[in-house]
């Protein structure tokens, strides 16, 4: 069973770049939730960390380029999550997969809340901006 059931009405924020990144995030999380192979789990956790770093960097670039007023709080949340992911990744790579599995099982709750609040606010802001090459609405 998938940890995150993708629901367009709930998960799409209406900004193509953000939506495609969110879909990829969902796929990685679901693969992590399904695998029983420790080596695959370790590899996928690294993939999740790298994806999340790029995901957050994209959002932060969009926030900076467009003068999004909620940038400081949104960035602080990204920093908190990445710090936690780095810590959990160290445990996972050392063979302590229970830390990683517990973290991954909690990601759907975090993702839903983050997408519903911070990412939706950012998307709403971006939709008020004239279209540029940096993002598409």
């Amino acid at each position: 069973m998938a940890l995150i059931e993708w629901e367009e009405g709930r998960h799409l924020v209406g900004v193509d770049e953000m939506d495609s990144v969110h879909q990829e995030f969902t796929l990685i999380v679901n693969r992590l939730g399904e695998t029983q192979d420790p080596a695959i789990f370790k590899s996928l956790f690294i993939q999740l960390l790298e994806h999340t770093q790029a995901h957050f960097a994209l959002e932060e670039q969009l926030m900076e380029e467009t003068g999004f007023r909620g940038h400081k709080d949104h960035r602080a949340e990204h920093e908190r999550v990445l710090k936690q992911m780095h810590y959990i990744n160290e445990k996972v790579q050392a063979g302590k997969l229970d830390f990683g599995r517990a973290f991954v099982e909690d990601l759907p709750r975090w993702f839903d809340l983050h997408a519903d609040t911070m990412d939706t606010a950012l998307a709403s802001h971006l939709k008020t901006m004239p279209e540029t090459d940096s993002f598409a609405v």
Side-chain angles (χ1 to χ4, degrees), residues 1-7 11 23 25-35 104-105 107-109 112:
M1 181 177 151
L3 291 175
I4 302 175
E5 294 290 337
W6 183 263
E7 299 175 38
H11 295 112
Q23 287 176 322
F25 175 84
T26 299
L27 292 172
I28 298 168
V29 169
N30 286 339
R31 289 177 61 206
L32 276 160
E34 293 167 359
T35 190
V104 167
E105 288 174 9
L107 280 176
R109 182 191 60 76
D112 285 348

Side-chain angles (χ1 to χ4, degrees), residues 31-102:
R31 289 177 61 206
L32 276 160
E34 293 167 359
T35 190
Q36 297 301 311
D37 184 309
I40 293 173
F41 188 89
K42 287 179 179 183
S43 176
L44 284 171
F45 203 90
I46 291 171
Q47 184 180 354
L48 176 68
L49 177 58
E50 291 171 349
H51 165 84
T52 304
Q53 288 171 322
H55 170 172
F56 289 173
L58 168 69
E59 289 182 4
E60 290 172 18
Q61 177 186 357
L62 293 172
M63 288 187 277
E64 287 179 23
E65 287 177 356
T66 63
F68 180 59
R69 286 190 287 174
H71 181 245
K72 284 175 69 174
D73 289 335
H74 201 143
R75 184 181 180 116
E77 175 64 4
H78 288 171
E79 289 172 357
R80 183 194 68 77
V81 170
L82 284 175
K83 182 177 179 181
Q84 186 178 24
M85 282 183 117
H86 280 285
Y87 173 78
I88 298 296
N89 185 53
E90 288 177 16
K91 299 293 185 189
V92 166
Q93 300 311 315
K96 298 178 181 178
L97 300 186
D98 289 343
F99 281 87
R101 292 195 188 282

